[in-house]
Amino acid sequence: MARTGRFGSAHRLDGGIDTRGRRGALGRNWWSKELLSAMEQTADKGRLTRGRQYARAGQVLTLRIEPGVALGEVQGSQLTPFSASVQVRRLDEDAVAELVDRVRSSPGMLARLAAGILPEELGPLLLPRRAGELDFDCTCPDDGWPCKHAAAVAFLLAEQVDEDPLAVLTLRGVDLTTLIGGTEETADEPGDDEDFYGDDTELPELPVERFRPATEDLDPMLLRRALRAGGTDEAVVIRALTDLEDLYRRMR
């Protein structure tokens, strides 16, 4: 059944993005809950509630997460879907450097990031906490902040963060590869007093291989059979074996 609001009834349709549940909270892991909590601290809770209803009704047709923004097409009261967005300010160079330092100073954090796990300890550096870091926008005529269309995108974003917490990095404009690479580069950066080219590095002694003539590794019966294959008599075969052993010793 379509809902009637200030701007008319929302068109119901098939093909929208399904939420995991019709009841309970949208956003179940630590990162998605904290992201929604940050939105609730800055946005109108009543409008967020209406957005959650829109999300559950499948009114969000598409969702795309890019650096600094989550974009969605949301079916509202008009025939053409509205374009709604949740905008999160991208981290500047200083904030990214602080993030790299935090990862580098925490044993095991780099390994967790490489395994696709976003450590909760990075929450204070990654989650938007102030109104200036978070914004909503939509092509609908509702001038509320946020409108229900943008709020619906916010809840679908939370579900996406449930599936992939590293999406928070994308929202903040931080590339995982760059983050890990910058951390490793910083960690491996040589000091001024280090031997950069390894001129003073002591190398271990090379192993000494014991000489072993190849004939010792051959089956003597098969070798004799191969030498006899051309009709060679036994005296020539014996001399050939002796010559082979002498040859390998000279090659030593």
Side-chain angles (χ1 to χ4, degrees):
M1 179 178 178
R3 295 172 302 283
T4 302
R6 176 182 166 192
F7 296 99
S9 301
H11 290 281
R12 296 300 298 272
L13 72 165
D14 296 325
I17 300 175
D18 290 329
T19 57
R20 281 191 296 273
R22 297 295 180 182
R23 295 181 180 180
L26 291 177
R28 300 180 181 181
N29 71 17
W30 186 88
W31 282 99
S32 59
K33 288 178 180 179
E34 289 296 314
L35 184 60
L36 286 176
S37 176
M39 294 180 186
E40 289 172 352
Q41 292 173 18
T42 57
D44 184 277
K45 292 184 178 180
R47 289 179 172 275
L48 287 174
T49 298
R50 290 193 288 275
R52 182 172 55 207
Q53 294 170 352
Y54 248 55
R56 281 210 169 104
Q59 297 299 114
V60 181
L61 305 177
T62 63
L63 179 69
R64 186 171 76 255
I65 301 175
E66 297 179 355
V69 64
L71 302 163
E73 296 294 314
V74 185
Q75 183 64 57
S77 58
Q78 299 181 11
L79 295 178
T80 303
F82 298 118
S83 296
S85 64
V86 178
Q87 301 165 12
V88 181
R89 180 180 294 176
R90 299 173 63 171
L91 296 182
D92 58 25
E93 290 184 4
D94 291 340
V96 173
E98 184 180 0
L99 189 63
V100 170
D101 288 341
R102 181 73 177 85
V103 173
R104 182 165 58 94
S105 64
S106 302
M109 191 175 289
L110 183 61
R112 281 187 283 168
L113 281 168
I117 300 170
L118 190 60
E120 296 175 7
E121 301 94 306
L122 297 179
L125 300 178
L126 288 173
L127 290 167
R129 296 297 186 184
R130 299 182 297 275
E133 294 182 301
L134 186 65
D135 199 4
F136 302 91
D137 193 20
C138 186
T139 57
C140 76
D142 187 353
D143 58 359
W145 197 85
C147 70
K148 54 183 171 288
H149 313 107
V153 170
F155 282 103
L156 265 296
L157 169 62
E159 286 215 327
Q160 182 62 37
V161 172
D162 271 340
E163 297 293 329
D164 179 19
L166 293 178
V168 175
L169 290 179
T170 302
L171 277 176
R172 287 302 227 167
V174 180
D175 180 75
L176 177 62
T177 304
T178 302
L179 175 60
I180 293 177
T183 305
E184 292 175 341
E185 181 180 345
T186 306
D188 295 338
E189 194 173 79
D192 294 336
D193 58 345
E194 292 187 35
D195 180 19
F196 186 82
Y197 292 102
D199 293 334
D200 297 330
T201 301
E202 294 185 8
L203 299 176
E205 294 291 334
L206 293 175
V208 178
E209 291 293 334
R210 185 176 68 85
F211 175 75
R212 183 185 181 94
T215 50
E216 294 183 14
D217 294 322
L218 298 176
D219 186 326
M221 296 301 296
L222 292 178
L223 182 58
R224 287 174 178 270
R225 187 180 303 171
L227 291 172
R228 292 195 197 100
T232 308
D233 60 40
E234 189 63 23
V236 176
V237 169
I238 293 173
R239 188 165 59 251
L241 292 174
T242 303
D243 290 343
L244 276 175
E245 292 176 358
D246 182 62
L247 176 62
Y248 277 111
R249 289 191 182 91
R250 290 175 181 272
M251 292 172 60
R252 184 175 178 175

